[in-house]
């Protein structure tokens, strides 16, 4: 069971990193609409979506760490 949790933790950490990098790249693709303030652009919406995904994956990683700690505390 703990091997599965470790694999899940690593997957959540990688997903967090990927979402972070994709969000930063989308953020850096500023368009003229962003600079003029006429409304959110596609890049801005994509950046927002990726940052929300990053928060989800971080929360998942924290829950997995808590589960690993709980399970390791019971076995010792």
């Amino acid at each position: 069971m703990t091997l599965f949790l470790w694999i899940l933790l690593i997957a959540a950490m990688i997903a967090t990193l990927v979402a972070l990098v994709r969000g930063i790249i989308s953020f850096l693709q500023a368009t003229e609409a962003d600079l003029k303030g006429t409304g959110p652009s596609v890049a801005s919406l994509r950046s927002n979506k990726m940052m929300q995904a990053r928060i989800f994956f971080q929360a998942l990683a924290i829950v997995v760490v808590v589960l690993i700690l709980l399970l390791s505390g019971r076995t010792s």
Side-chain angles (χ1 to χ4, degrees):
M1 181 67 169
T2 57
L3 178 62
F4 171 73
L5 289 175
W6 280 105
I7 293 170
L8 186 62
L9 176 62
I10 291 170
M13 290 167 50
I14 291 171
T16 301
L17 181 63
V18 169
L20 175 65
V21 170
R22 287 184 67 192
I24 290 173
I25 290 171
S26 294
F27 177 74
L28 292 175
Q29 295 175 344
T31 62
E32 193 172 324
D34 290 332
L35 298 175
K36 289 182 180 178
T38 58
S41 68
V42 175
S44 296
L45 295 174
R46 188 179 312 126
S47 175
N48 191 10
K49 188 181 210 181
M50 292 311 302
M51 290 303 155
Q52 289 175 356
R54 177 188 57 87
I55 291 170
F56 170 75
F57 291 131
Q58 280 181 315
L60 178 65
I62 290 170
V63 168
V64 171
V65 167
V66 168
L67 287 173
I68 290 172
L69 290 174
L70 285 173
L71 290 175
S72 68
R74 290 182 181 184
T75 60
S76 46

